[in-house]
């Protein structure tokens, strides 16, 4: 993007996208779905597996994979070994990791001011 | 699509897990009856209940050990009784995995229910072959799992089997098909295979029906359940959220809606969330029936309310192996909680955790500060260590640990209790719990090694 910093605003990801967590064993998948097709490209540019891995550093994922679904304006992140053993082994109150989508949706992203009307919420 | 093809099949789903709402089926069945009455000639409808999760089967096996007539879905009666007579009277057939660890006992219970309701005796089939927990399969599992099997006390072992035996049972005239561990989407694929006469290698059609089944399998989740987030994702009538109904055509294309007169919503957003739920590589969603591919899938809201169309799904040849889940006894989980409130409450809770860590050497302790950090943290406590004391004035300390030996796990409960007099000031409300654990292993077995079958039960079997 060529936009200068002044033309960008930083917002939490949940204003640009929604998502849900699923689990199988010790693996979590988190969908990120753009609220508007025009927001998808900037999500794909900024939500790299490296950045997502950093957001989950305390859970120490063994691997973070990203799958792009441009027709759904969505992406799917798959985080290995992030559930402290999974539903049967974890000591966590949320052993499924159901809340993890909200840790991802709390990441800051930068959005061109011109696209601000497409963002959800206040 | 062939002009002579049968009209779209209706499939409603009335449960997404064991323990789901038992009043869900009523509005689904009412809607199916209304749609059949106003729909094209030859339209058919099914009702499915999905009641198994990763550990549900192991819990069912434990119940069966105690009582040979138990081991099926505990809420079966509450779920099915309110709608059974209406389903039978209107030709709505029922397919479910609520047989869990004991499909024959579930079938007997349904037959008894039908007698009590005064309906004609329904034709009930059971699907079997998934249960590999018996001695006969021990060598097979040992071959695959090898050393991992040593010393394990196995509670359950089940293959995720597919839609073929369901379709065969329906072809043979079953009105109710009771399964154990079939793959969740197969509950919808079986009826579609039977109704449209699809071959077992019609990959694209099977892939499409599989994803329709995937949208149905979690019940309310595609209808705004598990979706609401006030101010961002508002859902009307969440307290009466409806359960889904899919319409699948002869090519497997589908649309999804929900029961009439219920709350919730079906939108592009709810469908996309559910479409990706528990999916890893979207181009390879593995089931025993097909490798479904949603890489090019699209969802589009249809005119009117609460109807969304799914298109662009493809399918590839099914895997040569079944996934098998083995559940075994896994030692003991100990948990303890104590509350601190008022000035410096968080500091006192953190001190209590430190005391417990020192006293409980040999136990890997998980520490949560409920109210500060108790969900997103990790077992090793890295996130908690990075989270400064924020001066919370109302906080509950929770600690948890597992150990193979019960006596070791029990130490945790005693140490948390002792904080009453030996710990920081003002601690109260101790609760402790000790639970036996179930752990799982997964492996793959060639399909040939897991023969599946169905049986249409006669009067003697159902007595």
């Amino acid at each position: 993007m060529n936009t200068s910093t002044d033309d960008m605003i930083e917002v939490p990801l949940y204003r640009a996208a929604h998502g849900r967590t699923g689990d199988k064993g010790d693996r979590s998948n988190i969908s990120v779905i753009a609220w508007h097709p025009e927001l998808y490209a900037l999500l794909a540019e900024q939500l790299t597996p490296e950045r997502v891995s950093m957001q989950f550093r305390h859970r120490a994922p063994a691997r973070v994979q990203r799958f792009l679904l441009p027709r759904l304006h969505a992406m799917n992140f798959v985080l290995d070994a992030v559930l402290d053993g999974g539903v049967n082994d974890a000591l966590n109150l949320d052993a499924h990791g159901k809340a993890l989508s909200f840790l991802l949706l709390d990441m800051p992203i930068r959005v061109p001011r011109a696209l601000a009307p497409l963002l959800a919420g206040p | 699509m062939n002009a002579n093809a049968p009209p779209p099949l209706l499939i409603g789903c009335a449960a997404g897990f064991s323990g789901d709402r038992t009043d869900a089926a009523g509005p689904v069945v009412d809607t199916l009856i209304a749609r059949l009455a106003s729909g094209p000639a030859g339209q058919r409808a099914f009702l499915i209940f999905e009641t198994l999760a990763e550990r549900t089967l192991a819990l069912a096996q434990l119940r069966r050990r105690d009582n040979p007539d138990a081991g099926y879905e505990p809420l079966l009666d509450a779920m099915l009784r309110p709608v059974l007579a209406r389903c039978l009277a209107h030709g709505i057939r029922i397919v479910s995995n609520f047989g869990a660890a004991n499909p024959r006992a579930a079938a007997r219970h349904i037959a008894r229910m039908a007698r009590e309701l005064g309906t004609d005796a329904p034709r009930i089939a059971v699907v079997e072959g998934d249960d590999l927990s018996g001695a006969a399969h021990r060598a097979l599992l040992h071959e695959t799992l090898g050393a991992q099997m040593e010393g394990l006390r196995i509670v359950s072992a089940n293959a995720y089997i597919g839609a073929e035996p369901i379709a065969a049972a329906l072809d043979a005239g079953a009105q109710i098909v009771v399964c154990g561990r079939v793959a969740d989407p197969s509950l919808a694929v079986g009826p579609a295979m039977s109704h449209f006469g699809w071959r077992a290698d019609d990959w694209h059609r099977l892939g499409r029906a599989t994803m329709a089944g995937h949208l149905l399998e979690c019940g309310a989740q595609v209808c705004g359940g598990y979706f609401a987030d006030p101010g961002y994702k508002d859902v009307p009538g969440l307290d009466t959220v409806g359960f889904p109904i899919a319409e699948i055509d002869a090519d497997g294309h589908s649309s999804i809606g929900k029961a009439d007169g219920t709350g919730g919503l079906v939108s592009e957003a709810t469908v996309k969330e559910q479409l990706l739920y528990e999916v890893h590589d979207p181009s390879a969603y593995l089931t025993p029936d097909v490798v479904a591919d949603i890489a090019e899938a699209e969802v589009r809201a249809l005119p009117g309310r609460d109807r969304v169309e799914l298109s662009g799904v493809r399918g590839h040849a099914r895997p040569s192996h079944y996934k098998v889940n083995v559940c075994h006894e896994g030692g003991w989980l100990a948990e303890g909680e104590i509350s601190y409130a008022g000035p410096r409450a968080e500091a006192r809770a953190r001190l209590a955790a430190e005391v417990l860590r020192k006293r409980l050497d040999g136990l890997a302790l998980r520490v949560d500060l409920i109210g500060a950090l108790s969900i997103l943290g990790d077992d090793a406590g890295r996130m908690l260590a990075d989270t400064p004391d924020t001066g919370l004035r109302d906080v509950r300390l929770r600690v948890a640990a597992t150990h193979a030996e019960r006596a070791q796990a029990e130490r945790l409960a005693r140490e948390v209790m002792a904080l009453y007099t030996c710990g920081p000031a003002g601690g109260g409300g101790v609760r402790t719990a000790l639970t036996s654990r179930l752990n799982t292993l997964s492996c793959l077995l060639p399909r040939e090694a897991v023969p599946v079958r169905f049986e249409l039960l006669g009067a003697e079997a159902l007595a």
Side-chain angles (χ1 to χ4, degrees), chain B residues 9 46 93-95 125-127 161-179 182 186-200 206 289 452-454 456:
Chain B
L9 181 64
F46 281 83
R93 294 195 276 176
I94 296 164
V95 178
V126 293
V127 167
I161 65 174
E164 278 182 278
I166 296 173
L170 294 168
D171 288 346
Q175 292 166 289
I176 300 171
V177 182
V178 182
C179 311
V182 299
S186 303
L187 296 174
V189 176
M193 275 181 89
S194 168
H195 181 70
F196 296 117
W198 296 337
R199 289 191 342 221
L206 291 172
D289 302 316
V452 298
R453 61 194 172 274
F454 79 91
L456 210 46

Side-chain angles (χ1 to χ4, degrees), chain A residues 26-28 59-65 78-83:
Chain A
D26 198 10
R27 177 182 277 183
S28 183
R59 295 289 189 106
R63 180 169 70 150
V64 175
Q65 287 173 276
V78 179
L79 288 73
D80 287 357
V82 79
L83 294 176

